[in-house]
Amino acid sequence: MLYPKINHRRDVYNLNGVWEYAFVEEDYLPTAMNPNGKPMAVPASYNEILTDMNMKEYSGKVLYEREFAVPKREDCLYRLRIGATSHKCEVYLNSEKIGEGINGFYPIDLPLEGLKEQNRLSIVIDNRLTAQTFPNGRIKNGKQLIQHDFYNYTGIHRDVLVYTLPKQHIDDVVIRTVVDGDYGKVSVEVRGEYKDIRYRVLNERGEEVVCSKENVFQIPDPVRWEVLNSYLYTLIVETDTDQYEEKFGIRKVEIKGTQFLVNDKPVYFKGFGMHEDFFVLGKGNNPAVTLRNFECMKWINANSFRTSHYPYSEEVLDLADRYGFLVIDEAPAAGLVLWEECFGENGANEETLAIHKELMKRLYERDKNHPCVVMVSVSNEPQTTEKNSEKYFEEVFAYTRKFWEVPVTLVEPSLGYAHNSCVAKFSDVICVNRYLGWYTNHGDLTVIEEKLTKDLTDFYEKYKKPVILSEFGADTIEGLHTLPAEGFSEDFQTFYIAENCKVLDKLDFCIGEHVWNFADFKTQQTTGRVRGNRKGVFTKERQPKMAAYYLKERWKNK
Ligand code: BDP
């Protein structure tokens, strides 16, 4: 799947802006422009824009609609590309259903046939979460129950584009670097219709370094894509009728013993679990917010992040490629804890499993060419202690590895241990979440050293795989200080993080630390949340809390 790009063969028209929205009935069909439509921004979530609680928390179907016109050309095909709508949706062009979206974090790419001079695009979104959606949820007595700790933002969250393709066109481009261990050897696989094809590669200065008729070629004096020191080449695929440009980086990812190697050099993951979440926008993609996030990460000397708990926008990954961040690309499989409903009695619920596998494939189709993606996570905190999880995840891992060449992991829950996890054996790197001294023994920093050492060492001893502490953190209200340090103060967060890090420094099978979370984020209302989850090392405004200065110093030389 290729991102729509503009060049002399292809056009792109942007449909972002102010659309009409309306909450609609279950069986609603968009046969004409809805007369109750009110203005709504795209991309954005509606939840942080509306001021009425019932509307903000609405669960059910919501219509997004707009009219549009594009220049008409006979010699090309038209397609629609919706970056993401949360969650499922049905798409209609001039009252005709043209397709569906199956998940809130993946693009929907559909042919647009029979375009008129003036057209109406209607998207009916369903934001309800069930045992068969990703993330999972449950509807009880008509009320949405959320199984995970992030807000169920709803809306069109990423760009809506109409684009054209030549009739004979390139469908897909897969770029593999470091073929047979040789740096600079590149192989390109192009899917599509063409008679002639050639491959050109430009370096970062825009100079042509390769022009080849063959799909496997050598880049002279290759410059590698390194962690925090990226180098991106541009591949231009030219056929007799079409052209597509894709950036790529030359880098090799490997696990040797307990080392995670990028370009033959061991790396230590320093960074965060994050969320796509910001004031007013909700989950609406915005490059200014992404850039502020990345500038803060550079400032604090982080080198990596996990796209917890769903695939982030393609624009985020483009920028991560450029900043040289290492990304653990996570599927939207959070909240897999409803074992009876999700997994059935004797192993996998076939429907849930089939969707999960499809999402792993689509993640590959979308993200395969990004050098920043160095590992894939199939799920965050499923109930790995449940025996049925073994069969389920055996299949998910095997299927994921059919596509992905990078290491594959699964993030173990706070109560998953080496002795009771049925699935840790499938991971290439064991990612472990721990909230010692926070959710257990709350406020007691003295429990961390012994318990964390034991939990992580047990995982290593049993599986002999490298380990990442993929979540640890403490809710912190900025400006709150206590002496001695008590929970929710900036002091406590700083000492809490330092205490965990002290353990990691002693365990050489540990290859990384991802603090939970990069910034404060919205959750559903509940007693343990003061306007959301406050474990951010940065506030929601993206200003540093006290712990940020500790981490900046620590990560400078780590
Ligand atoms: C972890 C979850 C994460 C939560 C975090 C917390 O993976 O999504 O936000 O707990 O409670 O278990 O802060």
Side-chain angles (χ1 to χ4, degrees):
M1 170 178 279
L2 296 176
Y3 191 86
K5 284 186 187 158
I6 194 163
N7 60 33
H8 74 289
R9 304 279 198 186
R10 296 168 169 229
D11 274 330
V12 179
Y13 307 100
N14 190 316
L15 301 192
N16 292 350
V18 177
W19 288 44
E20 303 288 304
Y21 89 105
F23 297 121
V24 291
E25 296 298 321
E26 216 52 57
D27 52 357
Y28 182 79
L29 288 175
T31 48
M33 195 81 188
N34 189 302
N36 303 320
K38 300 268 186 312
M40 184 48 67
V42 172
S45 307
Y46 61 68
N47 316 77
E48 293 287 77
I49 293 173
L50 303 177
T51 56
D52 179 284
M53 186 55 89
N54 288 330
M55 292 166 82
K56 173 181 172 145
E57 300 274 303
Y58 169 86
S59 87
K61 289 194 169 174
V62 54
L63 167 76
Y64 274 70
E65 197 162 51
R66 69 161 284 170
E67 292 186 321
F68 72 96
V70 288
K72 246 184 135 182
R73 286 173 45 190
E74 293 307 325
D75 59 336
C76 62
L77 305 170
Y78 287 80
R79 292 188 72 89
L80 172 69
R81 168 69 168 234
I82 307 165
T85 72
S86 278
H87 294 279
K88 287 186 182 174
C89 73
E90 295 180 343
V91 184
Y92 298 82
L93 177 70
N94 302 324
S95 309
E96 292 288 326
K97 185 169 165 187
I98 57 167
E100 292 181 353
I102 63 161
N103 184 272
F105 305 97
Y106 286 76
I108 304 160
D109 201 306
L110 302 168
L112 284 180
E113 277 154 20
L115 279 174
K116 302 179 184 160
E117 272 180 23
Q118 193 68 14
N119 302 280
R120 180 167 42 89
L121 182 62
S122 317
I123 306 178
V124 181
I125 300 176
D126 187 342
N127 71 353
R128 283 165 294 191
L129 298 174
T130 68
Q132 271 77 42
T133 61
F134 286 82
N136 310 96
R138 181 190 269 153
I139 307 280
K140 205 171 176 188
N141 303 329
K143 202 174 153 34
Q144 174 74 68
L145 301 180
I146 309 285
Q147 307 297 328
H148 52 71
D149 187 39
F150 52 98
Y151 194 75
N152 192 29
Y153 282 120
T154 308
I156 300 179
H157 287 152
R158 297 175 189 165
D159 291 350
V160 184
L161 308 170
V162 170
Y163 67 101
T164 67
L165 289 175
K167 289 201 168 130
Q168 281 163 354
H169 55 266
I170 299 166
D171 274 320
D172 204 1
V173 176
V174 187
I175 306 170
R176 288 193 183 80
T177 65
V178 198
V179 188
D180 304 330
D182 296 338
Y183 281 102
K185 202 158 168 195
V186 175
S187 92
V188 184
E189 194 187 316
V190 171
R191 282 181 220 125
E193 268 188 78
Y194 53 85
K195 286 197 203 83
D196 288 326
I197 190 161
R198 76 171 175 163
Y199 309 87
R200 292 167 56 220
V201 176
L202 309 184
N203 65 16
E204 277 199 348
R205 287 197 298 272
E207 297 155 353
E208 185 176 291
V209 292
V210 170
C211 181
S212 167
K213 288 252 166 207
E214 304 301 322
N215 70 325
V216 179
F217 45 81
Q218 176 71 32
I219 296 195
D221 305 321
V223 185
R224 293 171 207 184
W225 183 95
E226 302 280 7
V227 186
L228 295 182
N229 187 16
S230 75
Y231 193 95
L232 294 172
Y233 289 94
T234 306
L235 169 74
I236 305 173
V237 180
E238 291 168 337
T239 68
D240 39 320
T241 51
D242 196 7
Q243 175 170 323
Y244 194 80
E245 306 86 30
E246 181 84 318
K247 299 230 187 268
F248 68 95
I250 297 172
R251 64 107 181 88
K252 181 163 77 170
V253 175
E254 238 180 330
I255 294 175
K256 268 200 185 146
T258 55
Q259 291 190 323
F260 194 102
L261 305 174
V262 175
N263 298 335
D264 302 305
K265 292 187 288 263
V267 295
Y268 187 84
F269 288 76
K270 306 176 284 185
F272 302 96
M274 303 180 79
H275 267 297
E276 289 185 318
D277 185 315
F278 199 64
F279 297 108
V280 185
L281 298 170
K283 283 207 180 310
N285 180 55
N286 181 291
V289 177
T290 306
L291 285 170
R292 175 68 187 181
N293 292 348
F294 284 2
E295 286 299 313
C296 289
M297 285 185 42
K298 227 172 72 180
W299 171 83
I300 204 171
N301 297 313
N303 65 5
S304 56
F305 64 96
R306 173 165 60 114
T307 68
S308 42
H309 296 311
Y310 38 81
Y312 293 178
S313 75
E314 292 149 286
E315 293 81 358
V316 168
L317 293 189
D318 285 342
L319 284 168
D321 283 342
R322 218 168 140 184
Y323 275 75
F325 290 129
L326 304 173
V327 174
I328 303 175
D329 203 3
E330 188 157 273
L336 275 172
V337 292
L338 304 167
W339 284 92
E340 281 159 35
E341 289 139 279
C342 295
F343 301 91
E345 281 172 17
N346 309 311
N349 170 320
E350 293 304 323
E351 196 183 337
T352 313
L353 180 62
I355 299 169
H356 200 159
K357 283 160 71 175
E358 178 66 21
L359 293 176
M360 295 320 300
K361 183 170 116 212
R362 291 195 189 187
L363 192 69
Y364 171 79
E365 287 168 351
R366 198 195 74 157
D367 296 346
K368 57 188 181 284
N369 291 331
H370 286 283
C372 66
V373 176
V374 294
M375 187 145 58
V376 167
S377 159
V378 297
S379 178
N380 178 69
E381 295 200 343
Q383 204 163 319
T384 55
T385 52
E386 163 67 38
K387 74 169 175 13
N388 290 346
S389 67
E390 184 173 349
K391 182 170 175 288
Y392 180 92
F393 279 108
E394 186 175 15
E395 282 208 40
V396 173
F397 270 88
Y399 192 73
T400 303
R401 289 194 171 106
K402 281 191 185 171
F403 307 98
W404 282 101
E405 286 162 22
V406 295
V408 185
T409 188
L410 171 150
V411 178
E412 289 285 342
S414 320
L415 297 176
Y417 298 96
H419 70 270
N420 67 5
S421 169
C422 303
V423 303
K425 61 182 171 200
F426 302 128
S427 287
D428 294 316
V429 172
I430 299 190
C431 287
V432 181
N433 293 352
R434 280 298 175 273
Y435 290 91
L436 303 164
W438 189 256
Y439 288 125
T440 51
N441 303 85
H442 179 82
D444 185 358
L445 294 171
T446 66
V447 298
I448 296 173
E449 187 166 359
E450 195 187 324
K451 286 198 164 136
L452 187 63
T453 306
K454 179 170 172 15
D455 287 2
L456 299 183
T457 308
D458 284 354
F459 270 112
Y460 176 64
E461 290 298 330
K462 183 152 184 199
Y463 301 103
K464 298 283 186 249
K465 306 259 181 81
V467 174
I468 292 179
L469 184 59
S470 39
E471 281 187 28
F472 60 111
D475 287 80
T476 305
I477 308 299
E478 67 270 23
L480 182 67
H481 288 276
T482 64
L483 179 68
E486 287 176 19
F488 297 98
S489 67
E490 295 205 31
D491 316 69
F492 186 87
Q493 185 188 37
T494 309
F495 296 137
Y496 175 91
I497 291 174
E499 197 61 20
N500 279 273
C501 292
K502 200 166 89 188
V503 173
L504 300 177
D505 287 341
K506 284 191 289 195
L507 307 176
D508 50 11
F509 55 82
C510 276
I511 57 156
E513 55 201 50
H514 276 176
V515 181
W516 190 257
N517 187 284
F518 167 70
D520 294 349
F521 59 93
K522 192 171 175 67
T523 63
Q524 58 192 324
Q525 293 190 57
T526 165
T527 46
R529 297 284 176 259
V530 187
R531 264 204 99 199
N533 188 311
R534 304 295 287 270
K535 294 191 184 69
V537 166
F538 291 86
T539 62
K540 197 155 166 169
E541 292 90 342
R542 275 45 175 179
Q543 296 301 336
K545 297 181 190 170
M546 183 175 153
Y549 295 95
Y550 163 77
L551 286 169
K552 178 173 167 59
E553 196 51 33
R554 171 178 170 76
W555 287 345
K556 191 162 74 184
N557 304 311
K558 182 91 186 145

